[in-house]
Amino acid sequence: PSMTSSTAVRAALGLAACFLAALPGGASAQMAGCQLGPTPDGRRQVLRCGDFNAVIEPGTDDRAVDANRDGAPDALQLANRGVLVDYESPGRRGFQILTPHAIAAVRGTTWAVSVEGDRTSVFVVAGQVRVARAAAGRGVLLRAGEGVDVDGGSGPLRVATWSRERAAALLARFGR
């Protein structure tokens, strides 16, 4: 959906909720070409699906979304904790992370999303990610080294270059 259209964003969330309800077991559900297994250090899980890998923090409440019902996830719904995504197919329709506060849509990249309490934080390691509020609002485009914090409010999102310390702390949660 267009990240500048609040109607499209709400529709996408509604559609995602419908398909999530039909998925047994969330990200661990078997989908065509997808595998869920431990990272090499055994401390996290990684969901491998063709053109993307998602490293998932322990205790994360996440579910895969297959909106077009082709057997491959189009999005991950993330309720808490975090995920680091490596997406390598800029020619294909973008992959999204859906949280209670934000929608982060990839444009071919590596990025991290963290949900803590009433805030979602998105940080781009490489490439570009479009981020918008889940409820409504105009989105922002993040580039490598930039992040945004999204709360339940309605004000404009503020893109910031993250400090090395903040970026390193988030990435360390995923073994990077």
Side-chain angles (χ1 to χ4, degrees):
S2 168
M3 298 308 285
T4 60
S5 168
S6 62
T7 302
V9 170
R10 283 194 296 274
L13 285 175
L15 181 64
C18 291
F19 291 110
L20 285 172
L23 288 174
S28 63
Q30 291 299 314
M31 292 191 176
C34 294
Q35 297 177 342
L36 181 69
T39 56
D41 66 7
R43 298 178 61 196
R44 297 162 200 86
Q45 293 289 309
V46 63
L47 178 65
R48 292 180 178 86
C49 293
D51 53 9
F52 81 91
N53 295 324
V55 178
I56 303 165
E57 274 190 294
T60 297
D61 183 8
D62 65 298
R63 290 188 177 267
V65 178
D66 182 10
N68 65 5
R69 296 183 184 216
D70 68 354
D74 307 302
L76 284 178
Q77 184 172 29
L78 185 66
N80 67 342
R81 306 284 301 156
V83 62
L84 176 75
V85 178
D86 285 314
Y87 185 84
E88 299 178 6
S89 186
R92 191 182 92 141
R93 185 176 62 84
F95 183 79
Q96 299 179 333
I97 302 295
L98 311 170
T99 78
H101 318 104
I103 298 174
V106 69
R107 300 295 182 253
T109 192
T110 301
W111 85 104
V113 178
S114 174
V115 179
E116 296 181 24
D118 62 353
R119 180 177 77 183
T120 294
S121 298
V122 180
F123 176 72
V124 177
V125 177
Q128 298 178 349
V129 172
R130 169 106 21 218
V131 179
R133 291 187 185 280
R138 185 178 169 134
V140 295
L141 184 65
L142 302 178
R143 291 177 172 79
E146 295 179 335
V148 66
D149 295 314
V150 184
D151 60 20
S154 60
L157 298 178
R158 294 187 182 4
V159 175
T161 300
W162 280 20
S163 70
R164 287 184 184 181
E165 295 79 13
R166 182 172 185 195
L170 177 60
L171 296 175
R173 292 167 47 186
F174 305 102
R176 299 242 176 136

